[in-house]
Amino acid sequence: MVARVIPVSPFDLVIFGATGDLARRKILPGLFHRFRVGQMPEDAAIIGAARSQMDSGEFRALVGAALEEFVAEPDRTPETIAAFLSRLTYVHVDAKGDAGWDELGAALRADTTRAFYLSVSPSLFGSISKQLSTRGIATAESRIVVEKPFGHDLETAKALNADLLQAFDETQIYRIDHYLGKETVQNLMALRFANSLFEPLWNSTHIDHVQITVAESIGVQGRGEYYDQSGAMRDMVQNHLMQLLCLIAMEPPSRFEPNAVRDEKVKVIEALETVAPENIVRGQYRAWNGKNDYRGDAGNPASRTESFVAMKLAVANWRWAGTPFYLRTGKRLRARASEIAVVFRDPPHMIFPKMEGRKGNALVIRLQPDEGITLRTTIKEPGPGGMRLTEVAMDMTFADALGSDLHSQDAYERLIMDVIRGDQTLFMRGDEVEAAWAWADPIIAAWEDGNQQPAAYDSGGSGPEEALMLMHQDGRRWRAIGA
Ligand code: NAP
């Protein structure tokens, strides 16, 4: 089956920060892919905006080099790159001053969807949105896209929301969490809400526990200064892991529509019980096997920032009372591997005698490196020799049946096209982000007040011993990272 591509309406997309790392690595290559497969209409225009002085020709050369670096060979030809670059222009704009705004306004067409992607530091969100609004560059139909980090705590997140809301309505604001753009994350919603098979089992009667792991093999080198002010809790848990938890735990929305979905996600965050200190483990990687320690990478010899967090959470509602959610994320772990595992309870009565070592049913949603969904099932081992049981992982993504080209779309590509279509379902609403900070803030404050030292763990391992104990003490175990 070949991927169905429905072109979006014509648009003018302005990328603030178009010369920056994120634009060159993700946004512009993502747009190139949408162009290549025919989703970008003929008269779509992309306008790069940044502080550097350059003309459109120089900008195209910069983007051309980025495409050669970040788009794999079979997906690009000199002709497709040239055709894509012909859609690009550049305007030098100073977010903090007056330069460039008139030129930017003049570059936009009337009666064409306008989207402004702020791929810049959040400290510029307020001034850019104000300029766009007061100069009449943004219309009531325009969309504004903002990147993470959305705040450092509840107070700063509220201030960012207030800045954006001065110039835009909530229905125009698209807060990106690229985990929501992943194919399998959306497939999880399809599995849950488009089948009658799973939803009756989706509760504490049938689900023993849920594990969410986002493991990275790299350290913080290159981002050390930023990361040391942030830590794993702010950088990963408050946003990405929280979003994944919400999608697993939420009630079925009445419609697959932005506010219906986001209302249900907010309810999950609000239902989280206060986490007892013994249910949280913070870790920091130490030197091992020729690799630096965290403090060396972060350039802060006395740092107490966590590069790892594991926690056990309880969602206090009828559906989930009695089913713990275990979350863990960290840097310099044994592999880059992210997954959600929904682990089902054992059958109430076992009729087969030889069941030792059997792991039970688990629905595993793998986000990276290879996206996919599998259902671990127990079956009879084929062939003669009596009733021997074995486990198989059923592929629930059906890549072979549906065609692998369906799975190549990057999260950024999908989300940018949703912005153009005006679909906010996969973007975080302001109250959702604030609820997540309201949950995270007291946990972080307790660490800071207690001057707590994170537990050390070896680079390239599975995290601190204490994180393993978090599950062992409950008679459970983490799935192996990258298994
Ligand atoms: P970056 O490489 O430092 O790029 C920043 C961009 O902002 C540059 O294009 C820069 O223009 C522009 N800029 C700075 N000051 C400006 C001003 N006064 N007026 C107009 N433009 C200005 O940053 P980045 O890594 O791309 O990150 C951009 C945003 O995305 C940040 O909020 C970051 O936290 C977030 N983010 C990044 C990543 C990532 O992988 N990089 C991932 C997730 C989120 P000049 O270069 O021309 O000065």
Side-chain angles (χ1 to χ4, degrees):
M1 190 173 134
V2 175
R4 225 159 20 111
V5 175
I6 302 165
V8 295
S9 344
F11 61 84
D12 285 345
L13 171 65
V14 180
I15 306 174
F16 287 95
T19 56
D21 176 68
L22 183 68
R24 286 185 300 107
R25 266 189 323 108
K26 288 288 182 187
I27 304 171
L28 288 155
L31 285 162
F32 171 76
H33 283 298
R34 292 298 90 203
F35 169 77
R36 179 176 71 80
V37 299
Q39 198 168 22
M40 250 174 75
E42 278 294 308
D43 45 357
I46 298 166
I47 299 134
R51 205 171 31 179
S52 300
Q53 295 278 4
M54 65 173 89
D55 60 25
S56 294
E58 289 167 311
F59 179 60
R60 288 186 197 118
L62 181 142
V63 177
L67 297 180
E68 295 206 353
E69 190 175 352
F70 298 114
V71 175
E73 188 100 65
D75 291 341
R76 60 176 156 86
T77 61
E79 294 74 33
T80 45
I81 289 191
F84 176 73
L85 294 179
S86 71
R87 314 293 170 94
L88 269 57
T89 51
Y90 180 80
V91 184
H92 151 70
V93 180
D94 182 3
K96 290 180 173 163
D98 287 327
W101 293 100
D102 291 343
E103 291 81 351
L104 180 63
L108 300 174
R109 296 166 291 179
D111 305 324
T112 301
T113 299
R114 292 181 183 183
F116 302 96
Y117 196 131
L118 308 196
S119 180
V120 293
S121 157
S123 62
L124 299 178
F125 291 178
S127 55
I128 294 178
S129 45
K130 193 163 169 210
Q131 295 270 24
L132 290 173
S133 151
T134 53
R135 291 170 183 270
I137 301 174
T139 62
E141 287 76 40
S142 297
R143 286 126 211 195
I144 187 155
V145 186
V146 292
E147 266 296 337
K148 87 170 213 186
F150 199 86
H152 186 73
D153 52 22
L154 178 58
E155 196 184 326
T156 48
K158 278 186 169 170
L160 284 178
N161 275 334
D163 278 347
L164 293 171
L165 288 166
Q166 265 180 21
F168 294 89
D169 184 75
E170 181 62 44
T171 55
Q172 298 176 275
I173 304 171
Y174 292 73
R175 296 174 192 79
I176 285 220
D177 186 317
H178 69 274
Y179 275 60
L180 296 182
K182 289 185 179 287
E183 180 78 16
T184 40
V185 171
Q186 292 165 69
N187 207 352
L188 164 67
M189 287 192 274
L191 274 185
R192 276 194 70 188
F193 303 131
N195 295 284
S196 55
L197 194 60
F198 293 104
E199 206 46 31
L201 305 179
W202 212 257
N203 54 52
S204 60
T205 310
H206 299 286
I207 294 179
D208 178 70
H209 72 279
V210 176
Q211 311 185 6
I212 303 179
T213 298
V214 177
E216 295 177 274
S217 54
I218 54 167
V220 296
Q221 62 276 48
R223 288 178 74 216
E225 201 181 325
Y226 159 76
Y227 191 91
D228 204 45
Q229 301 299 314
S230 163
M233 183 72 176
R234 289 188 170 102
D235 192 48
M236 298 299 292
V237 179
Q238 180 274 343
N239 41 41
H240 304 314
L241 278 84
M242 184 58 68
Q243 288 296 316
L244 299 178
L245 168 71
C246 286
L247 294 180
I248 290 283
M250 72 182 184
E251 294 299 313
S254 52
R255 294 173 304 282
F256 191 62
E257 183 265 297
N259 281 336
V261 170
R262 298 184 299 178
D263 284 347
E264 297 307 334
K265 283 161 62 191
V266 174
K267 286 183 209 164
V268 173
I269 304 173
E270 288 174 349
L272 286 172
E273 272 181 15
T274 306
V275 198
E278 63 271 21
N279 284 334
I280 308 185
V281 175
R282 300 170 75 222
Q284 192 183 70
Y285 63 81
R286 64 180 160 208
W288 177 253
N289 227 356
K291 296 207 172 95
N292 280 351
D293 66 342
Y294 171 83
R295 292 175 178 187
D297 282 349
N300 179 1
S303 175
R304 280 196 295 266
T305 302
E306 77 286 352
S307 59
F308 176 99
V309 180
M311 54 176 68
K312 176 181 167 183
L313 302 183
V315 180
N317 61 21
W318 275 51
R319 184 185 286 264
W320 294 117
T323 295
F325 288 74
Y326 299 91
L327 274 50
R328 69 177 162 170
T329 181
K331 293 198 171 286
R332 275 275 164 78
L333 295 173
R334 65 189 319 149
R336 173 175 173 263
S338 302
E339 64 166 40
I340 306 167
V342 179
V343 182
F344 290 86
R345 295 192 192 282
D346 284 336
H349 170 67
M350 203 63 86
I351 63 168
F352 301 105
K354 292 207 171 123
M355 295 293 281
E356 305 93 55
R358 184 186 165 275
K359 295 202 192 99
N361 298 129
L363 185 70
V364 179
I365 300 117
R366 202 173 48 246
L367 308 176
Q368 54 195 24
D370 307 308
E371 289 195 57
I373 302 185
T374 54
L375 181 62
R376 189 174 67 202
T377 321
T378 303
I379 59 161
K380 177 189 170 297
E381 204 175 286
M387 193 67 177
R388 289 193 312 271
L389 302 181
T390 188
E391 280 153 7
V392 288
M394 280 172 53
D395 180 4
M396 306 293 290
T397 33
F398 305 106
D400 290 341
L402 296 178
S404 56
D405 62 327
L406 283 179
H407 298 267
S408 59
Q409 203 176 348
D410 179 77
Y412 274 93
E413 298 173 48
R414 175 189 316 277
L415 292 173
I416 298 170
M417 289 301 111
D418 278 359
V419 171
I420 304 301
R421 280 190 285 258
D423 184 348
Q424 291 183 301
T425 311
L426 300 174
F427 296 84
M428 296 177 294
R429 208 170 53 192
D431 58 339
E432 208 180 327
V433 180
E434 289 182 14
W437 278 122
W439 169 80
D441 273 1
I443 297 173
I444 298 170
W447 294 340
E448 287 170 358
D449 290 349
N451 272 344
Q452 207 195 64
Q453 289 285 352
Y457 63 96
D458 293 339
S459 285
S462 301
E465 217 26 57
E466 291 85 340
L468 304 181
M469 289 310 298
L470 197 62
M471 281 207 129
H472 286 184
Q473 69 199 10
D474 293 344
R476 302 181 174 108
R477 49 177 52 232
W478 292 104
R479 288 167 50 83
I481 292 174

